[in-house]
Amino acid sequence: MSDDTQILIARLVAHQTLRRDDKMVKRVLSDELFRAEVDARLAACGMKLLDNVYADHVTLALHRNIEPKVFGARDTWQNNNFGLARDGVALLVVLWALIILPKRERQETHQAADDDQNDMFGTDKPVPRAEDTSIGIPYKALLADFGDKLGKKTRMDMNLGILGKLGFIERRGEIIVEGPLLDLLMDTDLLKERIINGALADVFKRAPAQIVHIPREVLAAANDAAPQQAANEETPTEE
């Protein structure tokens, strides 16, 4: 095993995720020989490199045929829900549907989060990064629309905290945005049809009025301005 292969796998194990624009990640996604070496080494441990063109990060996951030997080793199946209760899993699916599905639609039409209309020549451009197409969900709107169904404020706050620690979401003040794992560990091809026409069909039909999509660049600007605003507020004024 080459030093680079060893280093990349060790970094993924240590950090859980790496950005697609990382030098070594870019190499494993473009260099077939290097990718084959990484895949072989991971396969020997029952693991695989998990990536998709719509996500800004990559991570590691178990091979499907290894899961029964890991999670089914005891008398009862050890589920892989990261310790989430049913309402936590439901909240995760709701956030995935509200954040990832609109982002995927924008990426497939080569449309940024703040674009008002499609670019006639947009499909000739590369798929936009998640960072440029992802959206933010206001916490208060999420609580108003789904709080009663997802354990009310106390349970929702607890589950949001868990999802944040696991890397599925990030909190930017009162705004909830996509974390590095939200678009990697959820099987879009499997879930999309079930969610839109099944479990959350009523949500997509009524399109909750209070859910407002906020481009991440707007959040970044607000975050940059916040320290200065706080400093101004703390500066004493002369009488």
Side-chain angles (χ1 to χ4, degrees):
M1 180 172 65
S2 71
D3 289 343
D4 285 350
T5 303
Q6 185 179 52
I7 291 169
L8 175 61
I9 293 174
R11 289 178 64 206
L12 282 165
V13 170
H15 301 298
Q16 188 181 49
T17 63
L18 293 174
R19 289 186 59 88
R20 289 179 69 90
D21 56 11
D22 178 271
K23 183 178 180 180
M24 297 188 75
V25 174
K26 289 170 69 175
R27 181 183 171 192
V28 79
L29 295 178
S30 60
D31 184 333
E32 292 185 8
L33 291 178
F34 185 49
R35 176 63 181 264
E37 189 175 354
V38 170
D39 286 344
R41 189 66 181 182
L42 288 172
C45 303
M47 304 187 74
K48 62 182 177 180
L49 181 68
L50 199 61
D51 78 280
N52 70 62
V53 297
Y54 300 103
D56 285 346
H57 296 78
V58 300
T59 190
L60 299 179
L62 290 175
H63 269 292
R64 185 70 70 182
N65 62 339
I66 295 297
E67 289 182 5
K69 299 175 183 178
V70 175
F71 299 117
R74 299 180 181 176
D75 293 337
T76 58
W77 182 272
Q78 295 174 271
N79 68 56
N80 192 23
N81 288 341
F82 300 96
L84 290 169
R86 291 180 63 184
D87 56 356
V89 175
L91 176 60
L92 174 60
V93 173
V94 166
L95 289 169
W96 177 85
L98 292 173
I99 295 174
I100 298 302
L101 290 183
K103 184 198 76 169
R104 286 287 186 95
E105 184 177 354
R106 291 187 181 92
Q107 289 175 307
E108 288 171 358
T109 57
H110 299 257
Q111 193 176 4
D114 56 351
D115 285 349
D116 293 328
Q117 58 185 12
N118 290 333
D119 182 353
M120 182 181 299
F121 305 102
T123 53
D124 294 329
K125 302 175 183 177
V127 174
R129 298 180 307 167
E131 195 170 82
D132 298 326
T133 52
S134 196
I135 55 172
I137 303 296
Y139 165 76
K140 291 182 179 178
L142 183 71
L143 181 62
D145 279 310
F146 299 100
D148 289 343
K149 297 179 178 63
L150 298 176
K152 300 189 183 298
K153 187 178 187 302
T154 300
R155 290 290 301 177
M156 181 176 285
D157 287 347
M158 183 187 74
N159 286 322
L160 285 172
I162 295 173
L163 294 177
K165 290 179 181 178
L166 292 173
F168 285 107
I169 63 166
E170 295 177 5
R171 297 287 296 269
R172 307 279 177 84
E174 288 294 299
I175 306 299
I176 301 166
V177 298
E178 171 187 352
L181 292 180
L182 190 60
D183 199 9
L184 280 174
L185 296 187
M186 306 286 280
D187 191 333
T188 300
D189 294 335
L190 178 65
L191 290 176
K192 183 175 180 180
E193 193 68 24
R194 294 183 182 181
I195 287 175
I196 293 178
N197 296 318
L200 294 179
D202 61 326
V203 172
F204 287 97
K205 287 177 182 176
R206 63 184 171 85
Q210 297 187 64
I211 293 294
V212 179
H213 294 165
I214 301 176
R216 293 177 68 152
E217 62 181 17
V218 175
L219 294 175
N223 288 338
D224 292 340
Q228 182 61 45
Q229 182 179 355
N232 293 339
E233 292 175 353
E234 293 175 0
T235 303
T237 57
E238 296 184 1
E239 297 292 338

